[in-house]
Amino acid sequence: MLISLSLLGFGNVGRGVAQVLLEKKEWFRRKYGLEFRVVSISDSSATIWDESGIDLMEALEVKKTFGSLSYWGDEYSIYHLSPIDVARKVESDVFIDVTPANPEAYKWYMEAFRMGRHVVTSNKPPLVFHYVELIQEAAMRGVNYRFEATVMAGTPIITLLQESLLGDEVDSIEGVFNGTTTFILSEMEKGLTFDEALKKAQALGIAEANPDVDIKGFDAAYKATILHNVAFEPMSFKKVEIRGIDDVSPEDIKRAKAQGNVIRLVAKIEKKRVSVEPVEIPKTSPLAVYGTSNVAVIKSDLMGEIVLRGAGAGVKETASAVVSDIIKCVKRE
Amino acid sequence: MLISLSLLGFGNVGRGVAQVLLEKKEWFRRKYGLEFRVVSISDSSATIWDESGIDLMEALEVKKTFGSLSYWGDEYSIYHLSPIDVARKVESDVFIDVTPANPEAYKWYMEAFRMGRHVVTSNKPPLVFHYVELIQEAAMRGVNYRFEATVMAGTPIITLLQESLLGDEVDSIEGVFNGTTTFILSEMEKGLTFDEALKKAQALGIAEANPDVDIKGFDAAYKATILHNVAFEPMSFKKVEIRGIDDVSPEDIKRAKAQGNVIRLVAKIEKKRVSVEPVEIPKTSPLAVYGTSNVAVIKSDLMGEIVLRGAGAGVKETASAVVSDIIKCVKRE
């Protein structure tokens, strides 16, 4: 089966997805009988659009060499389309949005749904602020809206909540969903101050130049809200209680360490209540993760406690989620 | 939507399933719009069969009071049907088999599939010895064959492998899938000999009177084979390399302990190669589980390592898997 894809966003994740589609082409055909044809790629400069399919190897090389798709005019036509126009005009089975966080993106998805396209995305704000409209529109149009990449990268927490434990009532989900804060807190355990640890994270490209989204807890709060919406019901982001790690002191860390504990930015999700805050936890707790590992501890009435741990970031790991979602959209058709 | 169920097996798990169906009746209706009607219940003595639905509370009481459904003749007709006759004659949407391990059960499922019924089961041997026939027949008849309960009780390892990581190639799965051996090895860590630990496990009802299936590694090997069949391709059980824990000595345990290690019965699943054996692992390894916790460590090309940990036994926990599977069978219809 030939599946046409429209790829919006050609940064790290977008290129990661292209790389996987390219490298595993034969495997997808053998395992699922699926052949993917990328019919458009958009970066912030331009959209390459060709219904007969774009050469992904070339696209990756052009992007690498020139930094922008707009220089690729010799082989493909260059278009300047808004994302909503891509959703409307580019004939595709799956509309893939891996652009940076953007609440407006929900309009693109609504348009894609109206055109009968599945949407696969790593973009969190639409799920946080427009969950109901999106889910309803997708259902009404008989298409899929998939977003495994938004929480814990390819570690399948969304699929687990959607497709398993169907007879269980979830009591709570606790987790560590932000690797940048884990990195900073781990460095502080080694003796750095918060500012030194943050600078190190920025130097390594782990924290952004403007690190507020991570260290003030908004990234974790977005993810926690998405999990709340999936596991329970839609809730307003305004009600989420958020405290970041920026007021965690070396003394806090030292005191925790003396008790055999660590501090992590823990999200707690219960029905109608979501909080994100630095919590002192025993080193032996499943929440005591390191590096880019994320973890979710799900408590439910029949099963008790289930722990799911895996990468929460990374290009390949995020591409894993996006590609799995693409296959999930079309496998059952 | 009204869903009729045929329940084969009314031991601990069968009664656990009935209990969940009874207690969460309203919740299933609210959450999924599903109403379950159990139209037959079979124990080893008899089959109760009533197309208008059986009173589950009464059934549980009769079983508790008299030990057998055959004493229930005053309210329901008592039938003596073979399992294959139940699969054929009892009009149900889902045929649920929670009888003890039995390779012959595959014939019942084939019959159920032919009659257009989904099959949900906790019965391992059919999956180990007849995987291909069963999967093919179910696909041909357009019905589901679901077996989450066979590995790690309700901890959703099967669903995870079937429904997520679709773009990943699994390299290996390592896991601890048998709680009885974990109990015995843990007791040996406290200083008991193997025989003492086994007797304690038997006294507590954790090990069977004939404990060979657990301690010789067959239970873990069955589960590992099922995971191999799901993650890779069907393989012959004869090729599984199995070593149980019966030759683990107090000295082995002591030596491991001195190194900060524990011994666990570890199953390792790679493409075309499955082994089960006692392995010495660091206490900090995700494989170092305790009690009835089971764990699976999945390694794949894009995601690296994913850890899934949760109960691997228990009545509620197994019922969780069975009920989730029932819902999964009918939710999409």
Side-chain angles (χ1 to χ4, degrees):
Chain A
M1 191 166 47
L2 186 64
I3 304 294
S4 57
L5 309 175
S6 174
L7 180 60
L8 199 73
F10 209 46
N12 285 332
V13 175
R15 282 174 313 200
V17 170
Q19 197 80 45
V20 172
L21 293 176
L22 190 61
E23 283 171 10
K24 304 184 82 164
K25 193 180 167 71
E26 255 317 298
W27 188 76
F28 294 135
R29 197 199 308 252
R30 230 172 34 238
K31 172 130 184 167
Y32 299 108
L34 291 175
E35 187 181 340
F36 296 112
R37 175 177 292 176
V38 177
V39 294
S40 78
I41 306 178
S42 311
D43 68 5
S44 52
S45 75
T47 293
I48 306 293
W49 180 11
D50 188 330
E51 276 164 20
S52 66
I54 295 166
D55 183 328
L56 292 178
M57 199 180 291
E58 284 276 324
L60 288 164
E61 274 181 29
V62 166
K63 184 76 180 176
K64 193 175 167 191
T65 311
F66 302 107
S68 148
L69 290 172
S70 60
Y71 292 91
W72 204 10
D74 51 336
E75 277 179 86
Y76 290 96
S77 303
I78 306 289
Y79 297 83
H80 294 280
L81 299 171
S82 66
I84 206 161
D85 271 345
V86 173
R88 186 179 304 132
K89 293 180 180 164
V90 176
E91 281 299 330
S92 67
D93 298 308
V94 188
F95 177 85
I96 304 160
D97 170 29
V98 289
T99 58
N102 183 347
E104 291 304 290
Y106 94 94
K107 294 178 188 161
W108 319 339
Y109 308 164
M110 293 297 269
E111 187 62 27
F113 294 147
R114 274 181 220 117
M115 298 301 295
R117 316 194 201 292
H118 305 292
V119 171
V120 169
T121 184
S122 59
N123 204 329
K124 291 180 274 294
L127 286 151
V128 175
F129 299 108
H130 302 279
Y131 190 77
V132 180
E133 302 104 287
L134 287 165
I135 295 292
Q136 283 179 350
E137 186 73 24
M140 202 176 82
R141 304 290 174 171
V143 291
N144 280 231
Y145 175 34
R146 302 218 160 264
F147 43 86
E148 186 65 79
T150 57
V151 187
M152 296 178 79
T155 307
I157 181 66
I158 303 287
T159 303
L160 191 155
L161 290 173
Q162 288 179 332
E163 308 269 356
S164 63
L165 300 179
L166 299 180
D168 275 60
E169 282 169 87
V170 173
D171 295 320
S172 67
I173 305 169
E174 278 190 292
V176 176
F177 302 126
N178 180 276
T180 305
T181 52
T182 299
F183 178 85
I184 292 172
L185 293 166
S186 302
E187 290 299 312
M188 289 176 76
E189 285 158 28
K190 296 179 198 157
L192 300 195
T193 65
F194 177 80
D195 286 333
E196 289 165 349
L198 173 58
K199 282 208 181 89
K200 185 168 176 183
Q202 286 172 324
L204 291 169
I206 293 168
E208 310 272 323
N210 179 347
D212 280 3
V213 170
D214 289 322
I215 66 172
K216 289 194 185 296
F218 292 112
D219 175 71
Y222 276 175
K223 292 166 176 167
T225 306
I226 293 171
L227 294 184
H228 184 280
N229 292 354
V230 172
F232 301 109
E233 58 194 38
M235 91 169 248
S236 164
F237 186 67
K238 285 180 206 146
K239 291 193 180 160
V240 180
E241 300 158 40
I242 311 173
R243 197 156 61 82
I245 63 161
D246 39 340
D247 63 350
V248 174
S249 70
E251 288 67 40
D252 295 333
I253 301 275
K254 209 174 283 173
R255 204 169 34 240
K257 203 172 172 178
Q259 308 277 328
N261 295 343
V262 294
I263 296 178
R264 289 292 177 267
L265 185 66
V266 173
K268 181 155 189 182
I269 299 128
E270 296 167 300
K271 195 168 183 174
K272 300 187 190 205
R273 178 151 194 268
V274 174
S275 65
V276 170
E277 59 181 346
V279 175
E280 192 174 322
I281 44 178
K283 268 188 186 162
T284 51
S285 160
L287 294 170
V289 286
Y290 293 85
T292 55
S293 269
N294 282 5
V295 67
V297 180
I298 303 158
K299 289 188 179 135
S300 64
D301 59 346
L302 303 175
M303 275 309 295
E305 183 177 297
I306 289 176
V307 177
L308 179 67
R309 191 176 79 213
V315 170
K316 265 195 317 178
E317 292 81 353
T318 308
S320 162
V322 172
V323 172
S324 187
D325 276 353
I326 295 169
I327 296 168
K328 221 165 158 53
C329 284
V330 298
K331 204 168 74 107
R332 288 198 196 102
E333 275 180 349
Chain B
M1 190 166 49
L2 185 65
I3 305 294
S4 57
L5 309 175
S6 175
L7 179 60
L8 199 74
F10 209 46
N12 285 331
V13 175
R15 281 173 311 190
V17 170
Q19 197 81 44
V20 172
L21 293 175
L22 190 61
E23 284 171 10
K24 304 186 83 165
K25 192 180 167 75
E26 256 319 298
W27 188 77
F28 294 134
R29 197 198 308 251
R30 233 174 31 241
K31 172 130 186 168
Y32 300 107
L34 291 176
E35 187 180 340
F36 296 112
R37 176 177 291 175
V38 177
V39 293
S40 78
I41 306 179
S42 311
D43 68 5
S44 53
S45 76
T47 292
I48 307 294
W49 178 12
D50 189 331
E51 275 163 21
S52 66
I54 295 165
D55 184 327
L56 292 178
M57 198 181 292
E58 283 277 324
L60 288 163
E61 275 179 30
V62 167
K63 185 75 180 177
K64 194 174 165 190
T65 312
F66 301 107
S68 147
L69 291 171
S70 60
Y71 291 91
W72 203 10
D74 50 337
E75 278 179 85
Y76 291 95
S77 302
I78 305 289
Y79 297 83
H80 294 279
L81 299 171
S82 66
I84 206 161
D85 271 344
V86 173
R88 185 180 304 134
K89 292 180 181 165
V90 177
E91 281 298 329
S92 69
D93 299 308
V94 188
F95 177 85
I96 305 159
D97 170 30
V98 289
T99 58
N102 183 346
E104 290 304 291
Y106 94 95
K107 293 178 188 162
W108 319 339
Y109 308 164
M110 294 297 269
E111 186 62 27
F113 294 147
R114 273 180 220 117
M115 297 302 294
R117 316 193 200 292
H118 305 292
V119 171
V120 169
T121 183
S122 59
N123 204 330
K124 292 182 273 295
L127 286 151
V128 175
F129 298 108
H130 302 280
Y131 191 77
V132 180
E133 301 103 287
L134 288 165
I135 294 292
Q136 283 180 349
E137 186 74 24
M140 202 176 81
R141 304 289 174 171
V143 290
N144 279 230
Y145 174 34
R146 301 217 160 267
F147 44 85
E148 186 65 80
T150 56
V151 187
M152 295 178 80
T155 306
I157 181 66
I158 303 288
T159 303
L160 191 154
L161 291 173
Q162 288 179 332
E163 307 269 355
S164 63
L165 301 178
L166 300 180
D168 275 60
E169 282 169 88
V170 173
D171 295 320
S172 67
I173 305 169
E174 277 190 293
V176 175
F177 301 124
N178 180 277
T180 305
T181 52
T182 299
F183 178 87
I184 291 172
L185 293 166
S186 301
E187 290 299 311
M188 288 176 77
E189 285 159 29
K190 296 177 197 159
L192 300 195
T193 65
F194 176 82
D195 287 332
E196 289 165 349
L198 173 58
K199 282 210 180 86
K200 185 169 176 184
Q202 286 171 322
L204 291 169
I206 293 168
E208 311 272 322
N210 179 349
D212 280 1
V213 170
D214 289 320
I215 66 173
K216 290 194 183 297
F218 292 112
D219 175 71
Y222 275 175
K223 292 167 176 169
T225 305
I226 293 171
L227 294 184
H228 183 281
N229 293 353
V230 172
F232 300 109
E233 59 194 36
M235 90 169 248
S236 165
F237 186 68
K238 284 182 210 147
K239 291 195 181 157
V240 180
E241 299 158 40
I242 310 173
R243 197 156 62 84
I245 64 161
D246 40 338
D247 62 352
V248 175
S249 70
E251 288 66 41
D252 295 332
I253 301 274
K254 209 174 285 176
R255 202 167 37 237
K257 204 172 172 178
Q259 307 276 330
N261 295 342
V262 294
I263 297 177
R264 289 292 176 269
L265 185 65
V266 173
K268 181 155 191 183
I269 299 129
E270 296 167 299
K271 195 167 183 175
K272 298 186 191 208
R273 178 153 192 265
V274 175
S275 65
V276 170
E277 59 181 347
V279 174
E280 191 173 323
I281 44 179
K283 268 189 185 160
T284 52
S285 160
L287 293 171
V289 287
Y290 293 86
T292 55
S293 269
N294 282 6
V295 67
V297 179
I298 303 158
K299 290 191 178 134
S300 63
D301 57 348
L302 303 175
M303 276 308 296
E305 183 177 299
I306 289 176
V307 177
L308 179 67
R309 191 177 79 215
V315 170
K316 266 197 315 179
E317 293 81 353
T318 308
S320 163
V322 172
V323 172
S324 187
D325 276 353
I326 295 170
I327 296 169
K328 220 164 161 53
C329 284
V330 298
K331 206 169 72 108
R332 291 201 193 99
E333 276 181 350

